[in-house]
Amino acid sequence: MKKRILMALSVLMVLLQSCGHQEDYNPLAPQDEQREVLSKDQLDQVIFDILKDTKAFKWNDLNDDQLASAFLLSDKVVTVAWEYNAKTDAAKEAIVALINQYENASGDKTDIILSVDDELNFLDAKIEKVETLLALRHMKETVALDVYYEMFSEEALANSLKPAADLRQNPEDEPSERIPATLDVATNHNIPDAWAAGLTGKGIKIAVVDGGLLKDDEVFGNNGNADGDNPFARSVQKKGYYKRKWWNPFASFDGPYARSSGLSADHGTRMLKIVGGPSGPKTGVAFNADLVSVRSANFVYLDLLRNVRGVTRAFNYLGGQSDVKVISMSQGGLINWTSITRAIRKCYDRDKMIFCAGGTFFFAPILTTIVAGSPANITLFPARLGMVHSVTGIRKAYNLEHAYWCPDCFGAADFVAEFDEGGASSEATANTAGMAALIWSREPNLSRAEVLEKIKAASDEPVTKHPYFGYGRINLKTYLDNEGIQ
């Protein structure tokens, strides 16, 4: 009897030591049935309340019961991240050991650890027990723990597009009283002036992280730029990092091309044309820049694991491309995803200038039609990260006093840009990335920080950053009239 007691105590000590738990946390005490399990509506409300209060949301913001509820409402895949700059594998080994200890006592399971990223320091695991989840959360080695709870279904997202289209037809119906009438803005970006001065983007490589290209597109599709044929007198590459079976290491990537049907199938193609479409009837902003189109996700809204992981792979790839100077991304969501943040950090640390859509037009209807009482002033992830520049849209020929149709649904942008069609912040982001490339192409030896200062100096609000519109719209004529703004 005494031997059994001693053995039980020994097992408990091993569990507590290996997990590095906080003092008041006992992983063996709470059972599933003893926890307060939230419904989907309750959990959504918790997330939206956090968004309203903090303007951001990450899974670490939830308490144990809330995180357990999200886990139980998901497919039970988790991402566990340890220190980004860890010098050894000790943290990873401790995390893997804990997962196996809780989930694989018999040692015969082989599909628990799904993938490991030894560069960005995170792993994906398929676990079954709430105890495992919470033990992982309370490990001293765990920096972040993400679950893949799906807030919106694709059907709900699709249904939200109709009211978005209705709003687009009447932008003047929702003027914002918060926007000061004294803000002096340019009426356009004067991009043709830059072209006339010889700024074409030549020598700068721009990456467009999006849904990829339509294969039958007449400009950038397979026939328009077949292997070995380069009609643009510059490099145009196509990459694909999206996997439908994201978890299968033997599954092939979806390829660089978007589906010919479905939600936002032509989104990536349109963004690439805005950034750098060849000279013609609809010339892209940086029409002579080198381009790489990266298919990262199947839709512009980021929540499903396969989309999150595709975006992570895309930025991880671009972080290793020394010739990529500017990145344009017109995708986003409500949740801060650890793996994407780390991949973006890799790009930022390598002096790349990143522009992301902050969300103006598309996401406002999603929030207002799906969520009762939408969170106000939310900049989307990853645009809200300090490592990137958030961009939102203003309809062409409208001043900032009538820039938004849902004045309670947008967050803080670093820049605004005009758009002609239906893309709002998506198109605005692509336009801004193209303009940054034009300026950088004039002075290619400048650092990212030096180019950014020139961009800000050529904008509406170069000194005092507006709380909603940041530096405003880039005016390339201002840049040119001041000889590049010394």
Side-chain angles (χ1 to χ4, degrees), residues 168-244:
R168 185 177 62 203
Q169 302 305 316
N170 299 289
E172 69 278 4
D173 290 346
E174 294 287 350
S176 172
E177 295 177 359
R178 296 178 306 178
I179 303 171
T182 56
L183 186 62
D184 186 20
V185 299
T187 56
N188 57 64
H189 301 284
N190 291 308
I191 293 170
D193 289 60
W195 295 339
L199 280 66
T200 66
K202 185 174 178 61
I204 300 297
K205 192 167 190 177
I206 310 171
V208 176
V209 177
D210 212 285
L213 293 166
L214 289 172
K215 191 167 186 178
D216 58 354
D217 177 71
E218 72 281 3
V219 176
F220 287 115
N222 192 43
N223 295 328
N225 190 36
D227 293 342
D229 179 21
N230 189 357
F232 307 123
R234 41 115 183 229
S235 170
V236 178
Q237 297 174 276
K238 298 179 285 290
K239 298 287 184 180
Y241 285 96
Y242 171 77
K243 276 186 180 181
R244 295 185 189 281

Side-chain angles (χ1 to χ4, degrees), residues 174-181 400-402 404 407-408 410 468-469:
E174 294 287 350
S176 172
E177 295 177 359
R178 296 178 306 178
I179 303 171
L400 292 184
E401 293 169 38
H402 296 83
Y404 296 91
D408 291 327
F410 64 88
Y468 300 124
F469 308 124

Side-chain angles (χ1 to χ4, degrees), residues 47 82 129 143 154 365 401 414 474:
I47 294 171
W82 52 98
K129 301 175 182 177
V143 173
E154 285 203 351
E401 293 169 38
D414 294 317
I474 301 167

Side-chain angles (χ1 to χ4, degrees), residues 90-124:
K92 177 183 71 174
E93 291 169 356
I95 290 168
V96 171
L98 183 141
I99 292 172
N100 284 325
Q101 193 171 41
Y102 274 73
E103 294 279 325
N104 195 18
S106 62
D108 57 356
K109 293 184 179 179
T110 60
D111 57 350
I112 300 175
I113 307 299
L114 301 174
S115 63
V116 179
D117 191 313
D118 285 316
E119 181 180 7
L120 300 180
N121 286 358
F122 67 85
L123 62 81
D124 299 317

Side-chain angles (χ1 to χ4, degrees), residues 57-109:
F57 174 79
K58 52 187 181 297
W59 293 111
N60 283 5
D61 293 334
L62 298 181
N63 64 32
D64 284 357
D65 284 354
Q66 293 162 351
L67 185 66
S69 299
F71 170 74
L72 292 171
L73 289 168
S74 73
D75 62 1
K76 297 186 178 180
V77 173
V78 298
T79 294
V80 190
W82 52 98
E83 185 183 359
Y84 181 75
N85 292 318
K87 303 301 181 186
T88 71
D89 290 334
K92 177 183 71 174
E93 291 169 356
I95 290 168
V96 171
L98 183 141
I99 292 172
N100 284 325
Q101 193 171 41
Y102 274 73
E103 294 279 325
N104 195 18
S106 62
D108 57 356
K109 293 184 179 179

